[in-house]
Amino acid sequence: VTPTPIQDQAIPELLNGRDVVGIANTGTGKTAAFLVPVLNKILLNRDERVLIVAPTRELAAQIKQEAQLFSQNMGIFAALCIGGVNIDRQIDSLRRNPNIVIGTP
């Protein structure tokens, strides 16, 4: 209902197409601060595709879980591409033409 400070500052900038670097403590809603504008962009244009690069597999998986939670019943799909897991499932996920691809180098 009430955005956190990072959300309050980042979401309007991201909705206006600006790049944002945000630093905030764990649990302050950083993931939502960038996922909300991403999901809005996809809802406005279903052909939109987004790549999210995370520094670790764990963070990439967490972002995918949050994306799935936030986009329930919206028809927006995300694929996770990380090392250390079955590549066949990841390829199948990419073949579904996801709106969001989340991965790590």
Side-chain angles (χ1 to χ4, degrees):
V1 175
T2 303
T4 65
I6 189 74
Q7 294 167 349
D8 191 46
Q9 294 174 29
I11 290 173
E13 298 298 321
L14 293 167
L15 287 173
N16 285 322
R18 293 187 180 90
D19 293 333
V20 172
V21 175
I23 299 171
N25 290 331
T26 300
T28 57
K30 293 182 297 293
T31 304
F34 71 83
L35 279 178
V36 168
V38 162
L39 294 173
N40 182 71
K41 188 172 188 169
I42 294 167
L43 286 173
L44 293 173
N45 178 3
R46 290 298 180 145
D47 294 326
E48 194 72 49
R49 299 293 178 257
V50 176
L51 172 64
I52 299 172
V53 180
T56 66
R57 293 185 312 181
E58 294 78 10
L59 182 56
Q62 176 189 331
I63 293 168
K64 182 176 186 273
Q65 288 175 345
E66 293 292 314
Q68 287 175 315
L69 179 68
F70 294 157
S71 65
Q72 277 183 334
N73 303 316
M74 291 183 185
I76 295 173
F77 300 101
L80 181 64
C81 296
I82 58 175
V85 296
N86 187 322
I87 189 101
D88 295 329
R89 290 178 55 196
Q90 295 180 61
I91 291 169
D92 288 342
S93 184
L94 290 171
R95 285 188 177 135
R96 293 184 64 208
N97 198 21
N99 302 94
I100 304 169
V101 175
I102 304 159
T104 187

